[in-house]
Amino acid sequence: MRPVTIIASITTCACISMTAACGSNGSGGGSGGSGSVKVGVVTDLSGSQSAIGTDELRGAQLAAEEINAAGGIKGLKGKKIDLKSYDTQTSPDHAVTAANAAVSDGVSAIVGGLTSDEVLAGTNVSHRAHIPWISAASSEEITGRGFDDVFQDLPTTAQAAQNYFKAIEFVAQSLDLGNKPTASVAVSDSTYGKGIEEEFSKANSGGSFDVKDEVSYPPTTTNLSSVVAKTLSKSPQMLINLGYPADGIAIQKLLATKFEYKPKVYFAVSDVATALEQLGSKANGMIIPSGPTTDFKNAPARFLDETKKYTAKHGGDAMPQYAVVGYVEMMMVAAALEDSGTTDGASVAKALHGISLDESKGNLYPSQPLAFNDKGQLTDPPQYFVQIENSKPVPVYPSDIAAAEPVPYK
Amino acid sequence: MHLFTQVVITGLLSGAVLSLIGIGFTLVLGVARIANFAHGGFVGLGMYAAYWGQREYDISPYVLVPVALVVLIVVGWAVADLFEWRGSRTGEIGELLVGLSLLLLIDGALELKFGTEPKTLVTNALGSVGVAGLRISGSELLAAAMALAVGVLLFAFIRYSRWGRALSAVAQNPEAAGLYGVPVPFARRASVILSIVIAGLTGLIIAPFSIATPDAGATFLISAFAVVILGGVGNTLGALVAGLMIGLVEAIAAGYLPQEWAPLAPLAIILTYLLIRPVKGVA
């Protein structure tokens, strides 16, 4: 075949493909046939975050099954949710491919995505097609670009840092550490760690804590002994780690096994399940952010019900945090579809700005109804804190969910 | 608080680990002239083996040592053959690619089997001693003793034994060593096997006080290069001293220097040393 013929053939094929693709995207979202409405779960089903990405998908599936079993979306004449999943492979590049596939399939909304880089990349695609996307990734930039169809349903970095500050302040008061308790802060020298530290420092601008030392360490540090030695050298009442979950666990291991000096409080941005799996009883005393658990005082009945359904289907003894996230995201989309009465993406995005998701509509968190502000962030993002005691997470903050008072780190 | 004493102790202990990793790497680089990029990967394999043994079967990492020794000799033999096979066809580039491929293979396999979450063991099988507000575990002391023993014994072996001098001869001039009757392929194979055995056992020994991640191999590889640069290619005693020095400088810098400067301290030491040191080969 002559080169000119080959080029002409390729060009023709490309034009046909583009026309077909434009045809399926043109409405900016749509229904998957007369009886269903397509919703995409674009998340990490393989790669480093696949465990929690799978949890998120399972949570969304549980919600979709319930909506369909209850007669579908009433505002759309009972159309059923047709859930479609797309794997980002925990990579921004694949997130773009997955987002393109979802848009081509004509989804009315997208939920999912755990790392900020992939959500930033993927939402560039969905925004062009006017498809709303709700994600749990934390970067401020996700909703800071002025896209009116991008939403965050967990605390952003700034919101989380402010919550950490309030939680630590509460714990210090509960333990009666004095007017201005002393603290040392170990910070991961990464964009993430620095971002949290900056917001944390802003929250502490009133001087609630007397920060004796702030030690920064490269994210590649494999041995944090010297960092811990330095943070403890001024005998702080509190040790605060603002870094990745693995850092918090590594520091806890050192505190529990290597250093004789113990602060009264050790707070780490870590993960409860991993800390318990890795350290067992050596994790005792840590204070960690957490998702909802059945041990919460006044845990919502709906959360307890859904936990039973989830564990009956997938095993385990709890509904993982990101399964709750996936469930709530799907319920948010369902509420917006009901309110908008259309499968058009732009209209669904507009409706999302006005939703108020209470327990009856699918909010599993023990908090006020979930609602988005103008930027697309939650006005009162759910965040809870537990202390590991006797190898179990005990809810300690906020007080409306606390099952016990915090105890001094030993 | 005893900050200085604490950072010196933690620095020497972490330095001993760097020494152990560097000793095997410098041996194979000096004798077989192979930059075995997979060296750190075998350390990582040892760490995960310790984790797997304890989690799945509640076996202490130290109980696994005899089994690991046999497995590592067999694996080392196969890897040495692989290096020889590629090296004979494509030269040093082929050997480098074999090492790099093995490193990626090990990292990928570990990620597949254990996921990306860091893994750590909590064991106090060897007890601990208290010094200056620190609890030093028996595992850390064992690693330090192993570094000291391996570094000194290998140095003495290469310098003073007949077989060691043969290894040294292979390192300096393989063709001439062959003409004098030294079995060059055997010497190269022995150095690869020995380095892999040291790497794997290092992983087992350090697992109780380290954090294992699938990409630990690459991190250890960088440490091994730093030790070789400072200690001299093929110089096991130099690797021992270099590892301890890097660990100490890193710890003191983390303890005392402003946070922006601390990570640069070990690099500054290496750079300075490179500028002033004489070029040295095998001990």
Side-chain angles (χ1 to χ4, degrees):
Chain A
M1 196 182 282
R2 291 166 55 202
V4 173
T5 316
I6 295 172
I7 292 167
S9 304
I10 292 171
T11 311
T12 309
C13 288
C15 287
I16 292 167
S17 304
M18 285 171 69
T19 310
C22 287
S24 63
N25 297 347
S27 63
S31 68
S34 57
S36 65
V37 51
K38 288 180 181 173
V39 178
V41 181
V42 178
T43 193
D44 310 338
L45 303 176
S46 61
S48 64
Q49 303 295 323
S50 60
I52 52 177
T54 305
D55 289 343
E56 188 177 30
L57 175 61
R58 287 173 172 176
Q61 284 168 335
L62 180 62
E65 284 163 13
E66 284 179 11
I67 293 162
N68 291 342
I73 306 292
K74 309 283 187 303
L76 293 173
K77 297 177 182 168
K79 280 190 175 179
K80 301 285 168 61
I81 299 282
D82 178 10
L83 198 67
K84 295 194 161 292
S85 62
Y86 306 87
D87 185 6
T88 63
Q89 301 179 33
T90 321
S91 139
D93 291 343
H94 287 100
V96 170
T97 309
N100 272 318
V103 169
S104 295
D105 283 348
V107 299
S108 295
I110 293 172
V111 300
L114 303 165
T115 69
S116 296
D117 287 345
E118 68 192 36
V119 174
L120 282 166
T123 46
N124 280 332
V125 175
S126 62
H127 175 65
R128 281 197 295 272
H130 308 296
I131 306 289
W133 185 324
I134 310 173
S135 98
S138 64
S139 169
E140 300 292 322
E141 204 182 334
I142 291 170
T143 45
R145 293 168 295 174
F147 295 174
D148 59 359
D149 41 28
V150 178
F151 303 85
Q152 289 173 288
D153 67 331
L154 277 187
T156 63
T157 307
Q159 289 172 324
Q162 286 154 13
N163 287 341
Y164 301 159
F165 180 82
K166 286 179 197 162
I168 298 168
E169 198 174 37
F170 169 82
V171 171
Q173 284 167 3
S174 299
L175 297 179
D176 204 14
L177 297 186
N179 213 8
K180 202 170 182 179
T182 56
S184 282
V185 186
V187 184
S188 168
D189 192 10
S190 58
T191 309
Y192 170 69
K194 290 287 180 191
I196 298 180
E197 187 273 333
E198 195 180 319
E199 295 297 332
F200 190 85
S201 294
K202 273 187 208 165
N204 191 36
S205 57
S208 296
F209 307 143
D210 177 10
V211 177
K212 292 286 185 191
D213 229 332
E214 190 177 297
V215 184
S216 167
Y217 54 88
T220 51
T221 306
T222 52
N223 187 340
L224 290 164
S225 298
S226 303
V227 171
V228 177
K230 190 174 182 186
T231 54
L232 297 183
S233 64
K234 291 176 184 163
S235 307
Q237 291 170 295
M238 305 191 292
L239 176 56
I240 299 162
N241 176 227
L242 303 176
Y244 292 99
D247 304 343
I249 291 170
I251 290 175
Q252 168 67 11
K253 186 178 177 182
L254 289 168
L255 279 177
T257 61
K258 201 172 188 71
F259 289 87
E260 285 174 358
Y261 176 80
K262 311 288 182 201
K264 296 284 182 199
V265 176
Y266 171 52
F267 174 91
V269 183
S270 198
D271 175 65
V272 177
T274 312
L276 282 170
E277 187 212 332
Q278 300 286 310
L279 300 177
S281 63
K282 297 287 182 194
N284 287 346
M286 297 177 83
I287 293 175
I288 312 179
S290 160
T293 79
T294 51
D295 295 326
F296 277 11
K297 186 177 74 180
N298 305 322
R302 183 158 189 163
F303 170 68
L304 298 175
D305 284 347
E306 297 303 335
T307 299
K308 277 183 196 161
K309 287 182 199 167
Y310 187 91
T311 53
K313 193 170 182 181
H314 300 293
D317 53 6
M319 187 169 179
Q321 180 179 7
Y322 280 88
V324 175
V325 167
Y327 182 95
V328 170
E329 284 168 346
M330 182 55 65
M331 287 299 184
M332 286 172 162
V333 169
L337 286 166
E338 289 284 8
D339 292 350
S340 65
T342 169
T343 58
D344 173 64
S347 303
V348 176
K350 197 174 173 187
L352 274 169
H353 279 285
I355 62 161
S356 175
L357 199 78
D358 58 19
E359 193 176 342
S360 68
K361 290 181 181 171
N363 180 12
L364 299 187
Y365 299 108
S367 59
Q368 299 298 314
L370 297 172
F372 292 109
N373 61 21
D374 291 343
K375 288 176 77 176
Q377 300 171 346
L378 286 178
T379 51
D380 183 16
Q383 193 157 39
Y384 315 100
F385 297 85
V386 298
Q387 183 168 34
I388 309 289
E389 292 176 35
N390 300 318
S391 308
K392 285 184 179 165
V394 177
V396 292
Y397 181 83
S399 49
D400 55 342
I401 58 100
E405 293 279 313
V407 295
Y409 185 92
K410 290 172 192 161
Chain B
M1 298 296 290
H2 319 273
L3 180 60
F4 183 73
T5 320
Q6 288 186 348
V7 295
V8 167
I9 292 171
T10 55
L12 287 173
L13 291 172
S14 65
V17 174
L18 296 180
S19 298
L20 267 175
I21 295 164
I23 286 168
F25 189 69
T26 202
L27 182 73
V28 75
L29 190 59
V31 176
R33 296 288 168 191
I34 295 170
N36 181 7
F37 280 8
H39 189 77
F42 288 104
V43 181
L45 267 182
M47 293 172 75
Y48 275 97
Y51 173 81
W52 173 78
Q54 194 184 57
R55 283 295 156 119
E56 297 293 322
Y57 303 103
D58 200 22
I59 301 172
S60 160
Y62 310 109
V63 176
L64 286 176
V65 167
V67 181
L69 194 60
V70 176
V71 172
L72 287 166
I73 289 172
V74 173
V75 171
W77 192 285
V79 172
D81 266 356
L82 199 57
F83 277 126
E84 203 63 40
W85 175 65
R86 285 314 297 170
S88 64
R89 282 162 176 75
T90 50
E92 287 178 357
I93 293 294
E95 290 170 346
L96 282 178
L97 290 177
V98 165
L100 193 58
S101 307
L102 279 174
L103 176 66
L104 294 174
L105 185 71
I106 291 170
D107 286 4
L110 290 175
E111 187 175 330
L112 202 63
K113 167 74 180 159
F114 297 100
T116 52
E117 286 294 325
K119 306 291 182 196
T120 184
L121 286 182
V122 180
T123 175
N124 196 22
L126 301 181
S128 62
V129 292
V131 182
L134 282 180
R135 302 296 306 171
I136 301 171
S137 69
S139 313
E140 288 173 291
L141 292 174
L142 178 65
M146 184 175 157
L148 206 62
V150 172
V152 172
L153 288 177
L154 271 178
F155 180 80
F157 172 74
I158 289 170
R159 180 64 66 90
Y160 301 113
S161 76
R162 191 162 171 267
W163 275 101
R165 283 200 294 271
L167 284 182
S168 190
V170 172
Q172 287 169 24
N173 191 330
E175 288 79 16
L179 289 174
Y180 277 92
V182 176
V184 175
F186 177 77
R188 285 167 56 90
R189 183 191 299 273
S191 66
V192 172
I193 294 172
L194 192 55
S195 76
I196 286 174
V197 167
I198 294 171
L201 293 185
T202 298
L204 272 184
I205 300 293
I206 68 173
F209 58 91
S210 304
I211 306 281
T213 55
D215 59 356
T219 312
F220 289 134
L221 179 68
I222 294 166
S223 305
F225 266 114
V227 168
V228 171
I229 290 167
L230 206 54
V233 176
N235 187 342
T236 58
L237 197 61
L240 174 66
V241 175
L244 292 173
M245 196 188 292
I246 292 172
L248 199 56
V249 169
E250 275 180 350
I252 291 175
Y256 289 99
L257 283 184
Q259 56 196 45
E260 298 83 4
W261 292 98
L264 297 179
L267 302 177
I269 298 286
I270 292 171
L271 193 62
T272 310
Y273 185 72
L274 278 175
L275 290 172
I276 60 170
R277 81 177 186 130
V279 177
K280 279 274 183 186
V282 173

